[in-house]
Amino acid sequence: MATFKYISKDMSAKTIRGTLEADDRNDLVRKLKEQNLFLVSCQDVTKKTVNQYKMKLNELSAYSREIGTMLASGLSLIRIFSIMVRREDNKKIKKIYENIYVKLQQGYTLSAAMEAQGVAFPNLMIQMYRSGEASGNMDKTALTMSDQYSKDHRIKGKTKSAMMYPIILIVITIAVLLIVYLAVLPSFFDIFQNVELPLITKINISISKFLQDYWYFVIMILVGLV
C-alpha cells in the first residue's frame, strides 16, 4: 500500500488536494471516483524505508532456492513472494520479502526490488538476477546462486572451525605466561637479590615486574588487539 498526494477536481471543477492510501495509481483513481472526484495529478509520497539487515549466506541460499524451485514449477514472482512472506518466521527477513512483494506489484523487476532493500542483498547477486531476467533463465540463475551461497556458507563454517584451535592455543599460552610472570617468578625475586644473573633471566624478571606494576595497561592492549 502506497500513500499518494493528489490534486483532483469535483463535478463543479473545484480543485481539491489531499493524500490517500492506494495500491497504485489506478486504485487511487477508483477511490477518488467513489468520492465523485477526478484525478488531475498525483505523487507517491510513501515513506521510504531502507533495510539495514544484511542477509547471511545460508539465508541467501534458501532465498534463491525457493525462488528457483517455484519459478521452475511455473509460479509467478508475485505468487512466489506471497507464499514466502507467509512462510517466513524471521521478522527481519519477512519485512524484506514484504517490501519486495509490494515492489513487484508496483511493476518493479525482481532485481530492482532487491536493489531497493538496502544492504540486504550483495551487489553480485543482484547483477546475476538482472542477467537472468535479461536472458529469460531466472529459475536456473536462482538455483545456481543457491548452490554458490550454500558452498560459501560451508567454506565459512569450516574456516571458523579451523580457526578455533589456534585461538584456543593462543589464549592458553597467554594465560600460562601470565601465571609464570605474575605468580611464579615473583616468588624467586628475594633469592635472586645480589646474584649475577644471565641476561635472559634479567629480561624475564623485568617483564614480570612490568606486568605487576602495569597490569591494567597490558589488559588494555589485549582488549585492543581483540
Side-chain angles (χ1 to χ4, degrees):
M1 187 74 72
T3 302
F4 291 92
K5 187 176 182 179
Y6 66 86
I7 300 175
S8 64
K9 289 185 180 293
D10 61 12
M11 298 297 290
S12 60
K14 180 182 177 181
T15 300
I16 298 174
R17 303 170 186 268
T19 57
L20 191 64
E21 288 189 348
D23 292 332
D24 51 29
R25 182 187 174 89
N26 292 334
D27 189 38
L28 176 64
V29 170
R30 181 184 61 77
K31 288 184 176 181
L32 289 174
K33 279 186 177 180
E34 292 175 354
Q35 304 174 36
N36 294 318
L37 298 175
F38 300 92
L39 180 66
V40 176
S41 64
C42 66
Q43 181 182 2
D44 187 345
V45 293
T46 307
K47 184 178 179 182
K48 305 296 182 183
T49 56
V50 179
N51 284 294
Q52 296 301 317
Y53 179 73
K54 187 175 182 179
M55 291 179 67
K56 300 178 179 65
L57 293 173
N58 59 321
E59 292 166 349
L60 292 173
S61 177
Y63 168 86
S64 292
R65 183 170 57 255
E66 287 191 85
I67 291 176
T69 302
M70 286 191 274
L71 277 176
S73 67
L75 295 179
S76 67
L77 281 172
I78 292 178
R79 175 61 177 160
I80 289 170
F81 275 90
S82 69
I83 295 171
M84 290 171 67
V85 167
R86 289 198 302 270
R87 292 199 312 199
E88 185 56 52
D89 295 325
N90 186 310
K91 291 182 179 179
K92 292 181 179 179
I93 298 178
K94 188 183 185 74
K95 181 64 177 176
I96 293 171
Y97 290 175
E98 288 174 346
N99 290 342
I100 293 176
Y101 180 59
V102 171
K103 292 290 185 183
L104 291 173
Q105 289 180 312
Q106 293 174 349
Y108 282 66
T109 61
L110 178 56
S111 59
M114 290 165 59
E115 193 170 24
Q117 304 311 309
V119 299
F121 300 97
N123 186 59
L124 174 63
M125 184 179 189
I126 294 170
Q127 297 305 325
M128 288 296 293
Y129 271 71
R130 188 162 288 151
S131 297
E133 289 165 348
S135 64
N137 294 317
M138 270 291 296
D139 55 339
K140 294 179 181 178
T141 299
L143 291 173
T144 299
M145 295 305 295
S146 174
D147 291 340
Q148 182 59 50
Y149 284 116
S150 179
K151 290 176 184 176
D152 291 347
H153 177 63
R154 288 197 299 270
I155 291 171
K156 187 176 181 180
K158 289 178 180 178
T159 302
K160 284 184 177 179
S161 298
M163 287 297 295
M164 284 304 296
Y165 176 73
I167 289 173
I168 293 172
L169 188 61
I170 289 171
V171 170
I172 292 174
T173 301
I174 291 174
V176 170
L177 287 174
L178 289 176
I179 291 171
V180 170
Y181 284 120
L182 295 176
V184 178
L185 275 179
S187 63
F188 293 96
F189 285 172
D190 292 338
I191 299 174
F192 291 153
Q193 283 184 351
N194 302 319
V195 177
E196 186 62 31
L197 299 172
L199 178 61
I200 188 66
T201 306
K202 290 181 179 179
I203 292 174
N204 281 298
I205 290 175
S206 298
I207 293 173
S208 177
K209 289 181 177 180
F210 176 83
L211 290 175
Q212 284 183 313
D213 295 337
Y214 301 102
W215 57 268
Y216 52 89
F217 184 68
V218 174
I219 290 176
M220 290 172 61
I221 292 175
L222 291 174
V223 171
L225 288 172
V226 171

